[in-house]
Amino acid sequence: MYIAFAPLQGYTDAVYRRAHWKCVGGVDEYYTPFVRMERGEIRRKDLRDTDPEVNRGVPTVPQVIARDGDEFARLCDALQEQGWNRIDLNMGCPFPMQVKSGRGSGLLQHPDCVKKIQKEMLCRPEVSFSVKMRTGQESLDEGIAVMPIVNEMPLLHITLHPRLGRQQYKGYPNQEAFLHFLEECKHPMVYNGDVSEIESWTDMVANSKIKGLMIGRGLLAQPWMLSNKEPDEGLKQMHAKVYQHAVTNLCGDSQILSRLHAFWEYLAIDRKHKKAILKSSTLRQYDEAVAVTFRSPVFL
Ligand SMILES: Cc1cc2nc3c(=O)[nH]c(=O)nc-3n(C[C@H](O)[C@H](O)[C@H](O)COP(=O)(O)O)c2cc1C
């Protein structure tokens, strides 16, 4: 079964992805947070994260978010210039700023723009594309309406998160809707949404057309979920790499701590230890809180 680490802006940057791949593993591919346009330009910071050099040796899929064919073409050009021949398109981001500008799940409300993107994909036979989408922004009808166009895209697979964009992360993933899309979809499909262990999914995936799972917050909570390593062993090694990179490359306690706190935010450890780490306001306090946590870790 194919397993992908979902992209999570602010959490799964190249340093985190590499640390996970090297120290824990168990995942087939890592998707980058989306590369986007800002004030008419491609964000330099995003391109630094997709730089092949910082992703070397890690199975990585760069992702873009676009509102029309032109924007999509510019983003693909930039990634292809970096040497990528594999690109994922985000049609699922529910953040209001992206949705309002017709990107992410907002794109699902503009089949004409999806069509232009599909044409742009066909002009790039050298690239393997995939799409990550929601079932709609306001209603399921929107997702269903774009499926004929998505079916005409040259795709390796579609990853579907069966919530509407307007739900953001509220409520439960709509499994019935997922099965409906599975029937409508010509491409292999990857399930995404609230997967916190894989045992209960193994049979279901084996007995269906589902290609595999994409896991986000579940892996941030338990990075060791798919590995044979003891949780504390893998986590300690991962932390050492993220820590080393932060103290070497970032400036000042506040910048360093903001990166390091993100490492712990979703982690499934007991409240007392987590609170001490997240409350730390100097690197010294942080180091102490982490040392105490690793001395007697309590994983949930
Ligand atoms: C903080 C945060 C940042 C995210 N950033 C991205 C992103 O850059 N690209 C994307 O396709 N999805 C993004 N997502 C959505 C996740 O990839 C995933 O689809 C979602 O969390 C549901 O999967 P999960 O329940 O396994 O976490 C983000 C989600 C969160 C919570």
Side-chain angles (χ1 to χ4, degrees):
M1 162 165 66
Y2 168 81
I3 305 267
F5 204 137
L8 294 126
Q9 198 90 232
Y11 298 89
T12 61
D13 57 12
V15 176
Y16 184 95
R17 299 192 300 268
R18 169 174 299 281
H20 188 269
W21 171 249
K22 292 254 172 213
C23 307
V24 187
V27 168
D28 294 304
E29 289 187 315
Y30 296 79
Y31 286 61
T32 73
F34 52 74
V35 178
R36 68 172 181 271
M37 310 278 301
E38 208 174 55
R39 287 178 234 106
E41 294 298 324
I42 302 175
R43 288 213 323 167
R44 293 281 122 198
K45 182 170 182 263
D46 297 345
L47 288 178
R48 282 199 294 277
D49 191 63
T50 58
D51 182 344
E53 201 47 49
V54 299
N55 293 290
R56 192 186 293 278
V58 183
T60 304
V61 179
Q63 186 191 64
V64 298
I65 194 166
R67 68 170 163 215
D68 54 31
D70 291 343
E71 214 173 84
F72 181 70
R74 282 186 63 187
L75 291 158
C76 288
D77 283 346
L79 289 176
Q80 287 184 258
E81 261 167 44
Q82 285 187 322
W84 296 100
N85 56 10
R86 171 83 179 87
I87 297 174
D88 186 69
L89 167 68
N90 181 314
M91 298 208 296
C93 176
F95 299 152
M97 250 184 46
Q98 297 299 334
V99 172
K100 266 189 226 140
S101 58
R103 302 186 182 96
S105 52
L107 181 61
L108 298 169
Q109 298 179 307
H110 301 282
D112 50 328
C113 296
V114 180
K115 183 77 196 162
K116 288 191 178 127
I117 290 177
Q118 179 246 345
K119 287 202 173 133
E120 195 54 51
M121 284 179 176
L122 292 175
C123 297
R124 297 168 192 260
E126 66 282 13
V127 180
S128 300
F129 289 104
S130 56
V131 160
K132 179 166 180 282
M133 63 186 276
R134 292 213 176 201
T135 47
Q137 167 52 29
E138 296 297 324
S139 77
L140 282 177
D141 299 343
E142 294 165 346
I144 295 294
V146 301
M147 279 316 285
I149 310 171
V150 172
N151 278 339
E152 294 305 313
M153 289 176 170
L155 300 181
L156 286 178
H157 60 247
I158 291 180
T159 304
L160 182 69
H161 178 80
R163 278 188 177 98
L164 295 168
R166 71 169 158 79
Q167 288 179 277
Q168 302 221 4
Y169 293 95
K170 294 193 196 90
Y172 295 101
N174 183 343
Q175 309 299 0
E176 238 175 80
F178 185 87
L179 294 177
H180 186 55
F181 277 78
L182 197 60
E183 275 174 24
E184 296 290 319
C185 184
K186 234 180 59 182
H187 305 291
M189 281 184 59
V190 174
Y191 175 86
N192 168 243
D194 298 22
V195 175
S196 54
E197 43 75 36
I198 63 158
E199 286 73 23
S200 63
W201 292 87
T202 314
D203 285 347
M204 188 189 140
V205 172
N207 296 322
S208 73
K209 289 193 311 194
I210 304 173
K211 172 174 171 178
L213 303 172
M214 175 183 273
I215 311 176
R217 291 164 299 171
L219 273 169
L220 286 184
Q222 299 187 307
W224 56 84
M225 189 203 293
L226 306 164
S227 131
N228 300 324
K229 277 195 183 165
E230 287 302 313
D232 56 338
E233 189 194 348
L235 197 65
K236 227 185 230 170
Q237 292 171 1
M238 262 185 89
H239 178 261
K241 286 199 185 298
V242 173
Y243 183 92
Q244 193 51 40
H245 185 271
V247 296
T248 314
N249 292 281
L250 302 175
C251 282
D253 279 16
S254 129
Q255 248 194 57
I256 296 172
L257 286 175
S258 124
R259 175 65 195 92
L260 294 174
H261 285 167
F263 180 87
W264 296 91
E265 225 170 274
Y266 279 92
L267 267 177
I269 59 163
D270 68 289
R271 262 183 60 176
K272 200 178 107 210
H273 283 134
K274 190 192 274 194
K275 203 169 151 198
I277 293 173
L278 296 183
K279 245 182 52 191
S280 60
S281 56
T282 64
L283 200 52
R284 215 174 122 216
Q285 280 174 9
Y286 175 87
D287 290 342
E288 276 166 24
V290 170
V292 171
T293 302
F294 278 135
R295 219 171 288 142
S296 52
V298 184
F299 297 110
L300 307 177

mmCIF file of all heavy atoms in Angstrom, residues 221-260:
data_model
loop_
_atom_site.group_PDB
_atom_site.id
_atom_site.type_symbol
_atom_site.label_atom_id
_atom_site.label_comp_id
_atom_site.label_asym_id
_atom_site.label_seq_id
_atom_site.Cartn_x
_atom_site.Cartn_y
_atom_site.Cartn_z
ATOM 1 N N ALA A 221 1.734 13.713 14.847
ATOM 2 C CA ALA A 221 1.497 13.289 16.232
ATOM 3 C C ALA A 221 2.367 12.086 16.597
ATOM 4 O O ALA A 221 2.918 12.007 17.688
ATOM 5 C CB ALA A 221 0.021 12.941 16.428
ATOM 6 N N GLN A 222 2.489 11.155 15.652
ATOM 7 C CA GLN A 222 3.267 9.934 15.903
ATOM 8 C C GLN A 222 4.180 9.669 14.703
ATOM 9 O O GLN A 222 3.897 8.795 13.883
ATOM 10 C CB GLN A 222 2.329 8.751 16.091
ATOM 11 C CG GLN A 222 1.390 8.925 17.270
ATOM 12 C CD GLN A 222 0.586 7.678 17.547
ATOM 13 O OE1 GLN A 222 -0.064 7.143 16.653
ATOM 14 N NE2 GLN A 222 0.611 7.210 18.766
ATOM 15 N N PRO A 223 5.266 10.420 14.595
ATOM 16 C CA PRO A 223 6.146 10.258 13.425
ATOM 17 C C PRO A 223 6.635 8.818 13.275
ATOM 18 O O PRO A 223 6.979 8.371 12.191
ATOM 19 C CB PRO A 223 7.319 11.202 13.719
ATOM 20 C CG PRO A 223 6.806 12.186 14.710
ATOM 21 C CD PRO A 223 5.766 11.459 15.524
ATOM 22 N N TRP A 224 6.653 8.071 14.387
ATOM 23 C CA TRP A 224 7.148 6.691 14.411
ATOM 24 C C TRP A 224 6.077 5.696 13.972
ATOM 25 O O TRP A 224 6.324 4.495 13.937
ATOM 26 C CB TRP A 224 7.593 6.359 15.840
ATOM 27 C CG TRP A 224 6.490 6.579 16.841
ATOM 28 C CD1 TRP A 224 5.486 5.719 17.166
ATOM 29 C CD2 TRP A 224 6.262 7.763 17.615
ATOM 30 N NE1 TRP A 224 4.641 6.288 18.091
ATOM 31 C CE2 TRP A 224 5.091 7.543 18.393
ATOM 32 C CE3 TRP A 224 6.918 8.996 17.741
ATOM 33 C CZ2 TRP A 224 4.575 8.502 19.262
ATOM 34 C CZ3 TRP A 224 6.391 9.941 18.612
ATOM 35 C CH2 TRP A 224 5.240 9.699 19.361
ATOM 36 N N MET A 225 4.870 6.190 13.632
ATOM 37 C CA MET A 225 3.717 5.325 13.388
ATOM 38 C C MET A 225 3.992 4.163 12.432
ATOM 39 O O MET A 225 3.506 3.058 12.605
ATOM 40 C CB MET A 225 2.582 6.178 12.798
ATOM 41 C CG MET A 225 1.250 5.466 12.704
ATOM 42 S SD MET A 225 0.194 6.226 11.456
ATOM 43 C CE MET A 225 -0.127 7.797 12.160
ATOM 44 N N LEU A 226 4.815 4.400 11.407
ATOM 45 C CA LEU A 226 5.006 3.384 10.372
ATOM 46 C C LEU A 226 6.384 2.741 10.435
ATOM 47 O O LEU A 226 6.800 2.065 9.505
ATOM 48 C CB LEU A 226 4.807 4.026 8.989
ATOM 49 C CG LEU A 226 3.476 4.746 8.834
ATOM 50 C CD1 LEU A 226 3.492 5.679 7.643
ATOM 51 C CD2 LEU A 226 2.355 3.742 8.706
ATOM 52 N N SER A 227 7.073 2.974 11.556
ATOM 53 C CA SER A 227 8.452 2.497 11.630
ATOM 54 C C SER A 227 8.582 1.376 12.657
ATOM 55 O O SER A 227 7.729 1.202 13.524
ATOM 56 C CB SER A 227 9.343 3.691 11.990
ATOM 57 O OG SER A 227 10.196 3.400 13.024
ATOM 58 N N ASN A 228 9.674 0.622 12.556
ATOM 59 C CA ASN A 228 9.903 -0.451 13.523
ATOM 60 C C ASN A 228 10.673 0.050 14.743
ATOM 61 O O ASN A 228 10.879 -0.670 15.700
ATOM 62 C CB ASN A 228 10.737 -1.577 12.882
ATOM 63 C CG ASN A 228 10.023 -2.158 11.692
ATOM 64 O OD1 ASN A 228 8.799 -2.271 11.709
ATOM 65 N ND2 ASN A 228 10.773 -2.494 10.653
ATOM 66 N N LYS A 229 11.117 1.310 14.659
ATOM 67 C CA LYS A 229 11.929 1.853 15.755
ATOM 68 C C LYS A 229 11.079 2.172 16.968
ATOM 69 O O LYS A 229 9.898 2.466 16.849
ATOM 70 C CB LYS A 229 12.592 3.155 15.295
ATOM 71 C CG LYS A 229 13.851 2.956 14.531
ATOM 72 C CD LYS A 229 14.602 4.267 14.440
ATOM 73 C CE LYS A 229 15.853 4.077 13.596
ATOM 74 N NZ LYS A 229 16.429 5.331 13.177
ATOM 75 N N GLU A 230 11.704 2.175 18.130
ATOM 76 C CA GLU A 230 11.021 2.632 19.339
ATOM 77 C C GLU A 230 10.738 4.124 19.171
ATOM 78 O O GLU A 230 11.601 4.853 18.668
ATOM 79 C CB GLU A 230 11.926 2.429 20.561
ATOM 80 C CG GLU A 230 12.073 0.978 20.976
ATOM 81 C CD GLU A 230 10.735 0.332 21.289
ATOM 82 O OE1 GLU A 230 9.931 0.935 22.020
ATOM 83 O OE2 GLU A 230 10.488 -0.785 20.786
ATOM 84 N N PRO A 231 9.564 4.591 19.639
ATOM 85 C CA PRO A 231 9.221 6.004 19.452
ATOM 86 C C PRO A 231 10.300 6.968 19.922
ATOM 87 O O PRO A 231 10.678 7.891 19.203
ATOM 88 C CB PRO A 231 7.949 6.184 20.286
ATOM 89 C CG PRO A 231 7.338 4.833 20.360
ATOM 90 C CD PRO A 231 8.465 3.849 20.276
ATOM 91 N N ASP A 232 10.838 6.741 21.150
ATOM 92 C CA ASP A 232 11.771 7.746 21.679
ATOM 93 C C ASP A 232 13.078 7.767 20.903
ATOM 94 O O ASP A 232 13.683 8.807 20.701
ATOM 95 C CB ASP A 232 12.017 7.554 23.178
ATOM 96 C CG ASP A 232 12.506 6.169 23.509
ATOM 97 O OD1 ASP A 232 12.269 5.257 22.697
ATOM 98 O OD2 ASP A 232 13.136 6.001 24.563
ATOM 99 N N GLU A 233 13.488 6.592 20.383
ATOM 100 C CA GLU A 233 14.747 6.514 19.640
ATOM 101 C C GLU A 233 14.659 7.359 18.354
ATOM 102 O O GLU A 233 15.472 8.258 18.112
ATOM 103 C CB GLU A 233 15.019 5.045 19.294
ATOM 104 C CG GLU A 233 16.381 4.789 18.711
ATOM 105 C CD GLU A 233 16.466 3.396 18.083
ATOM 106 O OE1 GLU A 233 15.545 2.568 18.309
ATOM 107 O OE2 GLU A 233 17.426 3.173 17.338
ATOM 108 N N GLY A 234 13.614 7.065 17.557
ATOM 109 C CA GLY A 234 13.456 7.792 16.294
ATOM 110 C C GLY A 234 13.235 9.272 16.526
ATOM 111 O O GLY A 234 13.797 10.121 15.830
ATOM 112 N N LEU A 235 12.429 9.584 17.532
ATOM 113 C CA LEU A 235 12.085 10.986 17.786
ATOM 114 C C LEU A 235 13.306 11.789 18.228
ATOM 115 O O LEU A 235 13.519 12.916 17.795
ATOM 116 C CB LEU A 235 11.008 11.042 18.871
ATOM 117 C CG LEU A 235 10.272 12.365 18.968
ATOM 118 C CD1 LEU A 235 9.463 12.621 17.701
ATOM 119 C CD2 LEU A 235 9.358 12.387 20.180
ATOM 120 N N LYS A 236 14.116 11.175 19.064
ATOM 121 C CA LYS A 236 15.326 11.846 19.552
ATOM 122 C C LYS A 236 16.240 12.184 18.371
ATOM 123 O O LYS A 236 16.775 13.285 18.266
ATOM 124 C CB LYS A 236 16.065 10.907 20.518
ATOM 125 C CG LYS A 236 16.491 11.579 21.783
ATOM 126 C CD LYS A 236 17.319 10.621 22.606
ATOM 127 C CE LYS A 236 16.805 10.562 24.030
ATOM 128 N NZ LYS A 236 17.380 9.510 24.833
ATOM 129 N N GLN A 237 16.398 11.205 17.471
ATOM 130 C CA GLN A 237 17.273 11.437 16.310
ATOM 131 C C GLN A 237 16.697 12.520 15.395
ATOM 132 O O GLN A 237 17.412 13.389 14.913
ATOM 133 C CB GLN A 237 17.455 10.135 15.531
ATOM 134 C CG GLN A 237 18.253 9.105 16.296
ATOM 135 C CD GLN A 237 18.249 7.742 15.611
ATOM 136 O OE1 GLN A 237 17.657 7.565 14.553
ATOM 137 N NE2 GLN A 237 18.896 6.767 16.234
ATOM 138 N N MET A 238 15.380 12.446 15.187
ATOM 139 C CA MET A 238 14.738 13.472 14.338
ATOM 140 C C MET A 238 14.913 14.849 14.952
ATOM 141 O O MET A 238 15.247 15.813 14.278
ATOM 142 C CB MET A 238 13.223 13.203 14.284
ATOM 143 C CG MET A 238 12.746 12.465 13.088
ATOM 144 S SD MET A 238 10.937 12.381 13.129
ATOM 145 C CE MET A 238 10.500 13.896 12.279
ATOM 146 N N HIS A 239 14.658 14.921 16.257
ATOM 147 C CA HIS A 239 14.751 16.209 16.943
ATOM 148 C C HIS A 239 16.163 16.774 16.834
ATOM 149 O O HIS A 239 16.345 17.970 16.596
ATOM 150 C CB HIS A 239 14.320 16.081 18.405
ATOM 151 C CG HIS A 239 14.439 17.370 19.150
ATOM 152 N ND1 HIS A 239 15.506 17.675 19.957
ATOM 153 C CD2 HIS A 239 13.642 18.465 19.167
ATOM 154 C CE1 HIS A 239 15.358 18.895 20.445
ATOM 155 N NE2 HIS A 239 14.230 19.398 19.978
ATOM 156 N N ALA A 240 17.156 15.898 16.985
ATOM 157 C CA ALA A 240 18.546 16.367 16.925
ATOM 158 C C ALA A 240 18.816 17.045 15.574
ATOM 159 O O ALA A 240 19.479 18.079 15.507
ATOM 160 C CB ALA A 240 19.498 15.201 17.148
ATOM 161 N N LYS A 241 18.280 16.477 14.499
ATOM 162 C CA LYS A 241 18.531 17.057 13.170
ATOM 163 C C LYS A 241 17.800 18.392 13.005
ATOM 164 O O LYS A 241 18.371 19.364 12.496
ATOM 165 C CB LYS A 241 18.067 16.083 12.072
ATOM 166 C CG LYS A 241 19.007 14.889 11.919
ATOM 167 C CD LYS A 241 18.814 14.208 10.574
ATOM 168 C CE LYS A 241 19.649 12.955 10.433
ATOM 169 N NZ LYS A 241 21.100 13.168 10.507
ATOM 170 N N VAL A 242 16.536 18.436 13.428
ATOM 171 C CA VAL A 242 15.762 19.677 13.284
ATOM 172 C C VAL A 242 16.386 20.763 14.175
ATOM 173 O O VAL A 242 16.511 21.924 13.776
ATOM 174 C CB VAL A 242 14.268 19.427 13.645
ATOM 175 C CG1 VAL A 242 13.474 20.724 13.671
ATOM 176 C CG2 VAL A 242 13.645 18.448 12.642
ATOM 177 N N TYR A 243 16.796 20.367 15.359
ATOM 178 C CA TYR A 243 17.396 21.309 16.321
ATOM 179 C C TYR A 243 18.700 21.885 15.748
ATOM 180 O O TYR A 243 18.917 23.088 15.729
ATOM 181 C CB TYR A 243 17.676 20.567 17.629
ATOM 182 C CG TYR A 243 18.225 21.445 18.730
ATOM 183 C CD1 TYR A 243 17.365 22.049 19.637
ATOM 184 C CD2 TYR A 243 19.596 21.658 18.857
ATOM 185 C CE1 TYR A 243 17.854 22.861 20.652
ATOM 186 C CE2 TYR A 243 20.099 22.469 19.864
ATOM 187 C CZ TYR A 243 19.231 23.060 20.762
ATOM 188 O OH TYR A 243 19.725 23.857 21.750
ATOM 189 N N GLN A 244 19.542 20.985 15.272
ATOM 190 C CA GLN A 244 20.840 21.403 14.735
ATOM 191 C C GLN A 244 20.661 22.398 13.597
ATOM 192 O O GLN A 244 21.330 23.418 13.533
ATOM 193 C CB GLN A 244 21.601 20.148 14.244
ATOM 194 C CG GLN A 244 23.062 20.383 13.945
ATOM 195 C CD GLN A 244 23.781 21.068 15.113
ATOM 196 O OE1 GLN A 244 23.528 20.732 16.269
ATOM 197 N NE2 GLN A 244 24.628 22.042 14.823
ATOM 198 N N HIS A 245 19.705 22.096 12.730
ATOM 199 C CA HIS A 245 19.471 22.986 11.595
ATOM 200 C C HIS A 245 18.962 24.340 12.077
ATOM 201 O O HIS A 245 19.409 25.388 11.597
ATOM 202 C CB HIS A 245 18.468 22.367 10.603
ATOM 203 C CG HIS A 245 18.301 23.214 9.379
ATOM 204 N ND1 HIS A 245 17.362 24.226 9.295
ATOM 205 C CD2 HIS A 245 18.972 23.236 8.198
ATOM 206 C CE1 HIS A 245 17.462 24.820 8.121
ATOM 207 N NE2 HIS A 245 18.434 24.233 7.427
ATOM 208 N N ALA A 246 18.050 24.332 13.049
ATOM 209 C CA ALA A 246 17.463 25.599 13.529
ATOM 210 C C ALA A 246 18.535 26.474 14.187
ATOM 211 O O ALA A 246 18.635 27.665 13.874
ATOM 212 C CB ALA A 246 16.323 25.316 14.499
ATOM 213 N N VAL A 247 19.353 25.891 15.073
ATOM 214 C CA VAL A 247 20.334 26.737 15.768
ATOM 215 C C VAL A 247 21.463 27.193 14.831
ATOM 216 O O VAL A 247 22.073 28.224 15.049
ATOM 217 C CB VAL A 247 20.925 26.069 17.042
ATOM 218 C CG1 VAL A 247 19.839 25.848 18.084
ATOM 219 C CG2 VAL A 247 21.627 24.775 16.723
ATOM 220 N N THR A 248 21.672 26.441 13.760
ATOM 221 C CA THR A 248 22.733 26.848 12.824
ATOM 222 C C THR A 248 22.239 27.896 11.830
ATOM 223 O O THR A 248 22.998 28.762 11.414
ATOM 224 C CB THR A 248 23.239 25.615 12.026
ATOM 225 O OG1 THR A 248 23.439 24.546 12.932
ATOM 226 C CG2 THR A 248 24.532 25.897 11.300
ATOM 227 N N ASN A 249 20.978 27.795 11.436
ATOM 228 C CA ASN A 249 20.519 28.627 10.323
ATOM 229 C C ASN A 249 19.581 29.768 10.701
ATOM 230 O O ASN A 249 19.359 30.667 9.900
ATOM 231 C CB ASN A 249 19.818 27.760 9.278
ATOM 232 C CG ASN A 249 20.807 26.838 8.601
ATOM 233 O OD1 ASN A 249 21.538 27.245 7.716
ATOM 234 N ND2 ASN A 249 20.852 25.592 9.058
ATOM 235 N N LEU A 250 18.996 29.721 11.891
ATOM 236 C CA LEU A 250 18.063 30.785 12.258
ATOM 237 C C LEU A 250 18.733 31.723 13.260
ATOM 238 O O LEU A 250 19.711 31.356 13.916
ATOM 239 C CB LEU A 250 16.770 30.188 12.837
ATOM 240 C CG LEU A 250 16.030 29.217 11.898
ATOM 241 C CD1 LEU A 250 14.827 28.589 12.597
ATOM 242 C CD2 LEU A 250 15.577 29.926 10.623
ATOM 243 N N CYS A 251 18.153 32.933 13.371
ATOM 244 C CA CYS A 251 18.793 33.948 14.215
ATOM 245 C C CYS A 251 17.942 34.288 15.428
ATOM 246 O O CYS A 251 16.782 34.667 15.270
ATOM 247 C CB CYS A 251 18.987 35.237 13.408
ATOM 248 S SG CYS A 251 20.365 35.116 12.312
ATOM 249 N N GLY A 252 18.532 34.169 16.580
ATOM 250 C CA GLY A 252 17.846 34.611 17.798
ATOM 251 C C GLY A 252 16.894 33.557 18.343
ATOM 252 O O GLY A 252 16.334 32.763 17.597
ATOM 253 N N ASP A 253 16.732 33.598 19.679
ATOM 254 C CA ASP A 253 15.901 32.593 20.346
ATOM 255 C C ASP A 253 14.488 32.546 19.776
ATOM 256 O O ASP A 253 13.908 31.474 19.622
ATOM 257 C CB ASP A 253 15.826 32.888 21.854
ATOM 258 C CG ASP A 253 17.083 32.369 22.563
ATOM 259 O OD1 ASP A 253 18.075 32.096 21.854
ATOM 260 O OD2 ASP A 253 17.058 32.233 23.794
ATOM 261 N N SER A 254 13.933 33.723 19.500
ATOM 262 C CA SER A 254 12.514 33.718 19.132
ATOM 263 C C SER A 254 12.279 32.987 17.798
ATOM 264 O O SER A 254 11.349 32.181 17.684
ATOM 265 C CB SER A 254 12.001 35.157 19.143
ATOM 266 O OG SER A 254 11.351 35.470 17.983
ATOM 267 N N GLN A 255 13.148 33.241 16.803
ATOM 268 C CA GLN A 255 13.014 32.529 15.516
ATOM 269 C C GLN A 255 13.272 31.027 15.684
ATOM 270 O O GLN A 255 12.546 30.193 15.153
ATOM 271 C CB GLN A 255 14.054 33.080 14.536
ATOM 272 C CG GLN A 255 13.446 33.849 13.374
ATOM 273 C CD GLN A 255 14.487 34.065 12.282
ATOM 274 O OE1 GLN A 255 15.075 33.118 11.751
ATOM 275 N NE2 GLN A 255 14.712 35.311 11.953
ATOM 276 N N ILE A 256 14.316 30.735 16.444
ATOM 277 C CA ILE A 256 14.687 29.320 16.647
ATOM 278 C C ILE A 256 13.558 28.585 17.378
ATOM 279 O O ILE A 256 13.134 27.494 16.982
ATOM 280 C CB ILE A 256 16.012 29.213 17.447
ATOM 281 C CG1 ILE A 256 17.163 29.823 16.650
ATOM 282 C CG2 ILE A 256 16.317 27.771 17.817
ATOM 283 C CD1 ILE A 256 18.474 29.954 17.399
ATOM 284 N N LEU A 257 13.038 29.239 18.430
ATOM 285 C CA LEU A 257 11.999 28.571 19.226
ATOM 286 C C LEU A 257 10.718 28.390 18.432
ATOM 287 O O LEU A 257 10.016 27.389 18.582
ATOM 288 C CB LEU A 257 11.721 29.374 20.503
ATOM 289 C CG LEU A 257 12.820 29.263 21.565
ATOM 290 C CD1 LEU A 257 12.516 30.182 22.743
ATOM 291 C CD2 LEU A 257 12.974 27.823 22.045
ATOM 292 N N SER A 258 10.415 29.356 17.576
ATOM 293 C CA SER A 258 9.167 29.213 16.827
ATOM 294 C C SER A 258 9.248 27.978 15.910
ATOM 295 O O SER A 258 8.285 27.224 15.770
ATOM 296 C CB SER A 258 8.849 30.528 16.108
ATOM 297 O OG SER A 258 8.697 30.343 14.762
ATOM 298 N N ARG A 259 10.431 27.715 15.322
ATOM 299 C CA ARG A 259 10.594 26.513 14.499
ATOM 300 C C ARG A 259 10.544 25.242 15.351
ATOM 301 O O ARG A 259 9.922 24.253 14.989
ATOM 302 C CB ARG A 259 11.929 26.574 13.720
ATOM 303 C CG ARG A 259 12.238 25.322 12.922
ATOM 304 C CD ARG A 259 11.207 25.141 11.798
ATOM 305 N NE ARG A 259 11.197 23.812 11.200
ATOM 306 C CZ ARG A 259 10.409 22.818 11.610
ATOM 307 N NH1 ARG A 259 9.607 22.968 12.646
ATOM 308 N NH2 ARG A 259 10.416 21.662 10.977
ATOM 309 N N LEU A 260 11.220 25.305 16.513
ATOM 310 C CA LEU A 260 11.296 24.106 17.350
ATOM 311 C C LEU A 260 9.957 23.791 18.023
ATOM 312 O O LEU A 260 9.584 22.625 18.163
ATOM 313 C CB LEU A 260 12.404 24.260 18.391
ATOM 314 C CG LEU A 260 13.829 24.330 17.806
ATOM 315 C CD1 LEU A 260 14.848 24.622 18.897
ATOM 316 C CD2 LEU A 260 14.178 23.024 17.071
#
